[in-house]
Amino acid sequence: MFSSAGKHQKLPTSSAEADQASVADSGATQHNEVLWPAERDSSVSNTAYELAPHDRHSGESISSSFMFRDSMDGSIEHAGHVRLRDLDAEAGSSFSADHSRDRTDHVYDREPDTPVHTSGASMVSSFFNLTNAIVGAGVIGLPYAIRQAGFIIGVLMIIVLALLVDWTLRVLALNSKLSGQQTYQGLVEHCFGRTGLLANSFFQGAMAGGGMASFIVIVGDTLPHVLSALMPTIGQTGFGRVVFSRRFVIAFFVIFMAYPLSLYRDVGKLSKTSAFAVVAMCTIIASVIIEGPRIDSSLRAEPGSPFVLANTGVFQAVGIITFAFVCHHNSFMIYGSLRKPTLNRYFEVIHISTVIATVASLIIAVIGYIYFREKTQGNILNNFPQDNLLINIARSLFALNMITTFPMETLVAREVIDQLMFRDQEFSMKRHVIITTVLCALCLVVGETVCNLGVLLELTGGLSASFLAFILPPACYIKLCSGPMVSWKTVPHWLCICFGFTVMVLSTVLSIRHAVVSQEANGSCWNVQ
């Protein structure tokens, strides 16, 4: 693949040198073949790379370019980078390029470099992590989304957006393979430079921070009431009024549950809590199905109330569904936690997780809307009476689900801070603990002082989710893909970008309008202090 004037050739030490040195093998005919600079047929060439003296003991990865031919017709080549690690500097000054072409794996089966978040998680563990990331807090608002858009439009939008999320998650993983980057921030910086990194960090940090804060507020708004309803005698005592108070419950769960889980460095160790979260969400869906027909008829839809098939609140519904499904800011860590993080294996995790999440979302959305129709609230659990035992159990499980999901958002927020402020420094446990402590403390303060984040989360969540899910993934792919930026192969990516900008702008405008005209922004906490 490489022509060499001598027996040894110096290994490129910069991205520019690597790009200049990278050439495509004109004789390669295999599809989906990654042409690695370090590959050769030993019978053809004796080319080896010589490490510069200052590289031999640096312990750093060295990037080198590769070209990837599209499997459709072989006409499109994608430029990217791989990292040549673990060079044995003590054994000699040369790194022999002894990987023959017939050992080249299919690009979708090739393992990338060991990611930052390596835990050797199994496919099942990664499935639970990704499903938990998709089926999050927003799922209980899906019946309200159907009310806003109408039954037929709402159901179609859930399916379409789920397919779009599945596709953009796979585009993100392919972007990671093409660029050689292992984080969302690194990918965006690779494609768009420092400006792209700052923009991505803002939206990704806002999404993660807003999620962390919302989870804590949900705990404060549900568990105190649930505990008082389940144990009314204790709740009437002085001890019960303190222990069941909103402030005490929030502090207890943040300090003794959310904070310890957030100290984990990778998502693989959270698979058991993610499995619990998935089971808890299934219990919530079952409780809605079971208790819906049994509650007082005055709480359900009026007999003969219209069954709206299409409504005017389509864009509001898109914002709700997008917030419910978007998990792109977590995807890199879940991809990296796979024991063998190949694209084929990760795509399988994505497909299974998306299907399960979509089925669960459709069930709770359709059943919830059928039961309550025009009375459907933003949180479907609030449509049920406060003394319903099964629903109170569902509320408590939902609160615990938020606690187990909280660390996923903490990992993302911590990653953003590390990338922006400490990217060139070695890992420090002290810094890790300090950042985690500060993040959890800030969310604890928010949970103790703010009762209703409604409009704020609607604004930041809708804005960030659209940018992270529908704009950045296809934009990065277009940037990485060699050839014309506008072609038939990039049309779906451009359409997705246009859709993302449309949703982002309309969601922001509608959120501001809602903040101005709605009285919900002044909503109060549960009357359990």
Side-chain angles (χ1 to χ4, degrees), residues 31 116-117 188:
H31 296 310
V116 176
H117 305 279
V188 176

Side-chain angles (χ1 to χ4, degrees), residues 248-497:
F248 183 89
V249 169
I250 286 178
F252 179 87
F253 277 94
V254 170
I255 294 172
F256 294 102
M257 295 190 68
Y259 176 66
L261 291 174
S262 297
L263 288 172
Y264 281 123
R265 292 180 56 190
D266 60 78
V267 297
K269 293 184 174 65
L270 298 176
S271 59
K272 291 184 174 60
T273 60
S274 295
F276 163 77
V278 173
V279 173
M281 189 57 63
C282 293
T283 304
I284 293 171
I285 295 173
S287 67
V288 171
I289 295 175
I290 294 171
E291 291 297 324
R294 299 169 57 181
I295 63 174
D296 191 280
S297 59
S298 62
L299 300 176
R300 298 197 302 268
E302 298 292 338
S305 59
F307 195 82
V308 181
L309 299 181
N311 209 345
T312 57
V314 173
F315 287 104
Q316 294 95 317
V318 169
I320 296 171
I321 299 170
T322 300
F323 184 81
F325 274 92
V326 165
C327 62
H328 296 62
H329 53 306
N330 293 322
S331 63
F332 275 77
M333 292 179 291
I334 297 173
Y335 177 31
S337 72
L338 270 172
R339 184 171 298 137
K340 184 182 179 183
T342 62
L343 288 182
N344 273 338
R345 287 166 60 84
Y346 184 55
F347 286 0
E348 185 177 347
V349 171
I350 290 175
H351 291 321
I352 296 175
S353 299
T354 305
V355 168
I356 297 298
T358 304
V359 171
S361 298
L362 285 173
I363 291 174
I364 193 170
V366 171
I367 297 298
Y369 176 72
I370 290 175
Y371 286 159
F372 301 104
R373 301 186 192 179
E374 76 283 353
K375 294 183 179 180
T376 305
Q377 299 186 35
N379 180 347
I380 189 63
L381 296 180
N382 290 341
N383 280 100
F384 293 86
Q386 298 181 3
D387 59 352
N388 187 296
L389 178 61
L390 184 56
I391 293 299
N392 278 335
I393 293 175
R395 288 181 178 128
S396 63
L397 289 176
F398 183 61
L400 292 176
N401 185 12
M402 296 303 96
I403 292 296
T404 58
T405 308
F406 184 94
M408 302 278 287
E409 304 298 335
T410 308
L411 284 166
V412 175
R414 189 170 58 226
E415 182 85 13
V416 169
I417 296 174
D418 278 333
Q419 286 287 323
L420 283 178
M421 303 176 64
F422 308 105
R423 59 185 305 173
D424 297 324
Q425 300 183 24
E426 295 289 336
F427 172 78
S428 168
M429 179 58 71
K430 179 180 179 181
R431 184 177 72 244
H432 172 83
V433 173
I434 290 175
I435 293 175
T436 304
T437 303
V438 170
L439 289 172
C440 291
L442 289 175
C443 290
L444 177 59
V445 171
V446 171
E448 295 282 17
T449 57
V450 178
C451 296
N452 192 335
L453 292 179
V455 174
L456 176 62
L457 292 181
E458 182 180 341
L459 178 63
T460 58
L463 182 69
S464 301
S466 301
F467 187 81
L468 295 174
F470 305 138
I471 297 176
L472 277 184
C476 288
Y477 178 84
I478 292 173
K479 188 73 173 180
L480 291 170
C481 181
S482 61
M485 294 183 65
V486 180
S487 65
W488 286 111
K489 291 183 180 296
T490 59
V491 167
H493 301 80
W494 284 113
L495 291 177
C496 186
I497 291 173

